[in-house]
Amino acid sequence: MIQIHCPYCGETLPELEFAYAGEAHIDRPVSPTEQTDEEWAEFLFMRQNVKGPHFERWRHVHGCGRFFNAVRNTITDRFYTTYKAGEPRPDLATLLEEDNK
Amino acid sequence: MSKHISSLAPSVVVDTAAARVAVSQLIGRISLRARTNENGGDLAAVGKAIGLELPTQIGTRAKAEGIEAACLGPDEWTVLVPLGQIEKVEDALAALYPSLPHSMTDITGREVTLTIEGPQAAELLSIGAPRDIASIKVGQARRMLFDGATVTLWRDSDTSFRMDVWNSFASFLVTTLETGAKELAAELA
Ligand SMILES: [Zn+2]
C-alpha cells in the first residue's frame, strides 16, 4: 500500500486514509462574470493530465480532514513531496534532483 | 443539548481472554472548530471557556475536571463533557462567539463510545485499521479509519482504548470487534 505523508499531521500514513482531489494550483478566476465561456470552460474542465510528476491535491479525509498538495509521479506512484495548502509550488527540478540522491 | 439517541445500549459486547469490548454510558460530545484570529481573538480563551488548555498538536489530548479534549485537526477538536456540565460549557463558548467566531456543534446524539481492553486489544484493532496502532502513543488520540468507517481512537494505556463511532456504523463495527476478539481468543486456547 502507498504511504502518504500528511503535512498537517506530520505522519506518514496508509493511502486508505486519504482521498485524491485532482490537479493542484488551479486558481478560481477573481471575476467569474467577466470570463468568456471559453475561459470559464478552461477553468472548470481543462486539466494537464500529466504523465510523470504531477502537482495534485489530496485530502486526509479519515484523519485531520485537511486538503494538501502533493507531487506524485503518475507512472510510478512515487510521492516526491507533500506540502500544506497555500504554500508555494515547489521547484520540480530541485525535487527530482533530491529524489535521485 | 441534542437528543440522545444511540443504536446500542451500554453493555458488554464480548469478554474473552484476548480482549473485552463494551458499549460505554452516554457522554456529552462537542465538535469544535476554532483558531486564533487577527482581531485579537485568542484560542487560549476557548480553552479557558471549556476549562482546560486546548492541545494544539494533532493527536494530543488534555483533561481537567472530567472534561477531555483531543486535537483532531489544525483547527478542530472533539470535547467529551459529562452530561451534567455540557450546557455550561456550551454557554461559555457561545459567550465567546463575538470576539472569537468559531463552530461549536453538540454531537452528543451522533456517536457512541466502545471500550476495547485486554492483552490483545491492540491486535484486535489492527484487524480493521490500516494505520499502525503502535504509532498512537498512550495518552494520545487519533481520528482514523476502522473497517471502512471513520472513528476516533483514544489510547488510555498499552492495553486499553476507547473508540468513538457514529451510531449508524456502531452495530457493524461491534460485530467486527466481537468476531475478532473471539478469533484471537481461539488462537490463545
Ligand atoms: Zn492529516
Side-chain angles (χ1 to χ4, degrees):
Chain A
M1 189 184 299
I2 300 171
Q3 302 278 315
I4 301 175
H5 183 82
C6 173
Y8 291 94
C9 292
E11 290 185 291
T12 301
L13 296 163
E15 176 196 0
L16 281 174
E17 291 201 355
F18 298 84
Y20 176 71
E23 191 177 323
H25 299 291
I26 294 173
D27 292 333
R28 184 183 168 85
V30 179
S31 314
T33 49
E34 288 166 24
Q35 295 265 298
T36 64
D37 285 353
E38 287 70 29
E39 287 168 336
W40 191 241
E42 180 76 19
F43 158 69
L44 280 184
F45 303 118
M46 302 314 283
R47 299 295 180 261
Q48 293 182 46
N49 196 22
V50 170
K51 183 179 181 184
H54 184 225
F55 290 78
E56 58 193 22
R57 298 164 80 218
W58 283 79
R59 184 179 177 214
H60 191 189
V61 60
H62 301 290
C64 65
R66 292 313 90 206
F67 281 90
F68 59 89
N69 292 329
V71 186
R72 177 183 63 102
N73 188 311
T74 59
I75 303 168
T76 61
D77 258 346
R78 180 167 185 81
F79 279 76
Y80 298 111
T81 189
T82 58
Y83 51 103
K84 291 180 181 176
E87 286 181 1
R89 187 185 177 104
D91 179 55
L92 185 59
T94 313
L95 278 180
L96 296 180
E97 196 179 306
E98 278 169 13
D99 193 63
N100 273 331
K101 278 178 194 164
Chain B
M1 187 163 54
S2 63
K3 199 172 180 186
H4 306 139
I5 39 165
S6 177
S7 51
L8 298 172
S11 60
V12 176
V13 172
V14 64
D15 194 353
T16 72
R20 178 182 186 274
V21 178
V23 179
S24 294
Q25 298 288 334
L26 280 175
I27 186 167
R29 307 165 195 276
I30 291 169
S31 168
L32 178 71
R33 302 285 304 269
R35 57 172 61 154
T36 296
N37 65 25
E38 315 79 55
N39 305 324
D42 188 357
L43 201 57
V46 178
K48 214 173 163 196
I50 299 169
L52 45 71
E53 197 172 324
L54 273 185
T56 51
Q57 193 192 333
I58 295 172
T60 57
R61 295 160 38 176
K63 184 174 185 174
E65 310 285 335
I67 297 174
E68 274 188 288
C71 183
L72 300 182
D75 59 358
E76 182 180 2
W77 293 265
T78 194
V79 186
L80 305 183
V81 188
L83 287 172
Q85 285 169 258
I86 192 163
E87 273 179 72
K88 203 180 80 185
V89 171
E90 288 180 359
D91 288 347
L93 284 169
L96 209 60
Y97 196 79
S99 59
L100 200 147
H102 59 274
S103 156
M104 186 230 11
T105 311
D106 187 327
I107 54 166
T108 302
R110 185 180 82 178
E111 298 178 7
V112 61
T113 296
L114 310 173
T115 57
I116 299 127
E117 296 165 317
Q120 287 189 278
E123 285 83 349
L124 174 55
L125 290 165
S126 75
I127 69 172
R131 76 170 286 154
D132 183 6
I133 299 299
S135 67
I136 305 170
K137 304 297 177 207
V138 173
Q140 295 187 339
R142 293 289 195 292
R143 187 158 53 198
M144 62 170 210
L145 197 60
F146 184 77
D147 203 13
T150 307
V151 304
T152 303
L153 188 72
W154 305 65
R155 184 169 208 166
D156 294 323
S157 79
D158 278 336
T159 56
S160 66
F161 299 83
R162 280 172 287 153
M163 187 191 282
D164 301 338
V165 307
W166 286 31
N167 282 318
S168 49
F169 300 118
S171 56
F172 168 70
L173 296 182
V174 158
T175 307
T176 302
L177 290 166
E178 183 179 2
T179 307
K182 285 178 180 168
E183 289 203 359
L184 288 170
E187 281 174 14
L188 290 173

